[in-house]
Amino acid sequence: MEITEGVVLGETEVPYDMESATIEAWLDEHPTFTNDYFIRKASRSLIDTWLIAHSISQPPNVAGSLTMGFGSSSGILTSGSGNIGSTATVIRTWAPADQLSTGTSSKGSCTSGSTTPVRKISAQEFERGGLVRPMVTTIDGTPTFLTPPSTTDSFGLTSRKSREELQSLDEKELLFELAKDICDDLETRTLAHKILQHVGVLTSADRASLFLVQGKKGTSTHCLVSALFDVSSQSTLADMETKEEIRVPWGSGIVGFVAESGETLNIPDAYQDDRFNQEIDARTGYRTKSLLCMAIKGKRGDVLGVAQVINKRDGPCFTLKDERVFSNYLQFCGIGLGNANLYQHSRLEVKRTQVLLDLARMIFEEQSTIEHMVCRILTHTLSLMQCQRAQVLLVHEASKGTFSRVFDLESKDLTETDSDSRSSPFEGRFPINIGITGYVATTGEMLNITNVYEDSRFDPQVDENSEFHHRDTLCMPIRNTECQVIGVIQLINKLDKLPFSASDESFVEAFTIFCGMGIHNTRMYEKAITAMAKQRVTLEVLSYHATAPAEEAECLRTSTIPSSQHFRLHSFDFDDDQMSDEDTYKACLRMFLDLDLVKRFQIEYDVLCRWLLSVKKNYRKVIYHNWRHAFNVAQMMFAILTKTKWWQVLGDMECLGLLIACLCHDLDHRGTNNSFQIKASSALAQLYSTSTMERHHFDQCLMILNTQGNQILSHLSPDEYSRVLKILEDAILATDLAVYFRNRGAFMELIDAKSYNWTKDEHRDLLRGMLMTVCDLSAITKPWDVERRVAELVASEFFEQGDIEREELNITPIDMMNREKKDQLPTMQVAFIDSICEPVYDVFAKLSPKLRPLLDGVRTNRKHWQSIITTQANGESH
């Protein structure tokens, strides 16, 4: 026995049999399983359909609904069919931009809404039309501007007569009945179906077709599109849905000729007319004999479409009477189609406004980061505009012709498994059409290019060595509230292989207004967060550090500076263990003097002394990354430059930058690494997203260099100053091992292939970066007693960080930071030598035989550590 009851979802009734009813009863009895199954298995389209089916109107007692907090955005953009793509398909048929907006956009104008005029209409005016609430709320509490689909939009309220009843009427009564039948139908497809069936009755035709005008006149998109094709007396509207759309170029064929000329064509034998396209008959299997084709005109005489009837049923061809009756009836049809178009345009304008409001709500819902903001923009742009690729290019604030960041998404990215959880777009994946995007960024003009290869601004090289092929593009400027161009949005290749229409231009232009405000607000938010983080860091630093007193600097200035031989500064096995802090200051001064940097750059000697003391004062009293470590790094740099005579290769300016970088590369180190800063969400981690500590060290270096009485670079020219700061920044950032690993491969390839050329800037940049690593890790090359002492200092500092992580962050530290695994120090040192140290010292030994002692020292120390490991293993075995 079957159960005939069903459940209605939207407009579809799903019949239930006994098995289905049993399953539903079981699901009702097991709500936990049902909930879990739905969460794991439900698709987005299913959730969208559910949300729309259960949407409810906003309660009348809720005030200020437009300013309430918003919830999840899932399902918001779904149109009546539950598919966001259908909205984009409808949008394609909007009226041109000049019909939808009273204003026009030009190079010198701005439509950002920053100068909104006073409204000329009151809210009471809308009450007369009985308009629905602008916002509805789905059952889960998500507000949306998109109204749920209506099931009451039916306009064909008159009772229709049968074909036999119509044929029994005289001509005037027949025209009256047919005109009455179409006068209250505002749905274009049902109206077109009625028209074609009516003209079949009027002219006794076997088949009828209707083509509507689409696209802007004078453009390549101007054509005729089959609203309905080959309608017979028995055809239903559902039958017509299965037929594919036919497009006829303007002026082409019989239909195109009639549309262009406005003339009526009555052809007794279609195959005798050269304009007739016989391919349609070959495709459908239907043979066309006689044909009557006539234009449908609007009130102003403009052609709205073309109707044609085929094969006279009761005669060899259509008569003059058929032409007259056909013409009289099409006058009514022109009025009906015009009204239907106006109605469709008004509905689409309402839908357009709702979509834009929803997009604006989602853009302004969360403005935490520029990546999150642009991801939302690109995701919804791709879905609505139905294109293959979308890019947002942010204009460089200093140079308006270039872009600081380029974000992109492709349509296939939206179908990947992680698309729902993605919070940022991809960045810099594809080449930039700099000719097109640069033009839009600098001029502020919109570009809609049908064939990019015919435009001189397009660079074909962006498609070379790529499976992606540019076809057409729509490029629009993004402006902030001050009408300044802050970015460019570029859409590439419509999925339906049609060019971007005027409707697309109008929609994207309106959308970019919200995008501009969103991006501008997000930038302001990021700047505010950065400023707050900088303020906290600055206050933290200033509370701990101070500039060295002038009296101490004067004392150092008047001191005698021993020679470099006295301090053994040229030696690779240098050890500062027996030196006082005052000796280290004097040794640093000796390095500057011996490299002739004081004389070459006119550094005031008393300023250099005070700067050195200030640098030392800005090192915290941590176990290892303190002033003594920085001093040893600088000594190794001095020894390498003088032993190899690379100071001649690099030149005075780079030697100055490297020596300053060595002394400053760990300024204000807190005894914790970059990973710790991120785990602890420190102010430094908020301020610098990559190379956190290294960027802080560089900023501290700049702060001291710019402090009164410490300006050792004050006599450099502007170009020299900029160059030294760039060398300084690159050198300090190079001490981040992540940067070392990124550059090591390229440097080793240069050396192994002997393809280096030190006159090339990129090769010199690599050399300086690798030199900083060699000097920073140089303790590993020292005599065994020095190396072991330093290794224990480093381990102690690491263990302190591990203790903090365990006690304050409640996380288990990694082995290297874990005090409980201190016995594994020899094993970790061997791994450190093998993976990081030996490769870089090996390549420098190849570069200069004078650096061979460094490699030998590394290998000797490795043997010592390995010996300890062996001893430990033997002890455990006994």
Side-chain angles (χ1 to χ4, degrees), residues 572 643-644 646 843-856:
F572 289 146
K643 283 261 187 182
T644 60
W646 282 353
V843 75
F844 269 90
K846 294 177 183 177
L847 189 58
S848 174
K850 293 183 179 181
L851 299 181
R852 180 77 190 188
L854 298 178
L855 178 61
D856 295 339

Side-chain angles (χ1 to χ4, degrees), residues 371 398 416 613:
E371 293 84 359
E416 294 178 356
L613 294 172

Side-chain angles (χ1 to χ4, degrees), residues 589-655:
L589 289 172
R590 174 50 61 191
M591 295 180 209
F592 277 88
L593 292 168
D594 282 8
L595 289 173
D596 201 28
L597 301 178
V598 176
K599 181 179 179 181
R600 164 65 178 83
F601 297 103
Q602 302 177 33
I603 301 174
E604 297 175 31
Y605 193 65
D606 57 336
V607 174
L608 177 60
C609 293
R610 191 173 186 185
W611 174 82
L612 272 173
L613 294 172
S614 295
V615 168
K616 195 274 179 184
K617 198 173 185 65
N618 277 267
Y619 273 96
R620 299 195 183 198
K621 293 180 180 180
V622 294
I623 297 175
Y624 175 69
H625 289 95
N626 49 37
W627 162 253
R628 287 305 181 106
H629 166 64
F631 169 67
N632 276 279
V633 172
Q635 181 275 326
M636 180 57 72
M637 180 65 74
F638 176 79
I640 290 175
L641 291 177
T642 54
K643 283 261 187 182
T644 60
K645 296 189 177 180
W646 282 353
W647 60 270
Q648 296 176 342
V649 175
L650 294 172
D652 295 336
M653 196 175 302
E654 293 180 45
C655 288

Side-chain angles (χ1 to χ4, degrees), residues 362-377 394 405 407 422-425 427 515 518-527 529-530 686 689:
M362 275 181 276
I363 285 177
F364 295 121
E365 193 173 40
E366 185 176 350
Q367 302 178 51
S368 55
T369 64
I370 198 71
E371 293 84 359
H372 196 181
M373 170 63 61
V374 174
C375 185
R376 283 171 171 255
I377 292 172
L394 300 183
R405 302 184 74 176
F407 302 96
R422 181 179 295 120
S423 60
S424 61
E427 189 166 352
C515 296
I519 291 173
H520 177 73
N521 291 347
T522 303
R523 278 181 166 173
M524 294 299 102
Y525 176 80
E526 288 184 333
K527 286 181 179 179
I529 294 297
T530 301
Q686 296 177 33
S689 57

Side-chain angles (χ1 to χ4, degrees), residues 211-228:
F211 295 83
L212 297 179
V213 176
Q214 192 175 95
K216 192 175 181 180
K217 191 173 183 180
T219 66
S220 58
T221 61
H222 198 211
C223 64
L224 293 148
V225 179
S226 59
L228 293 173

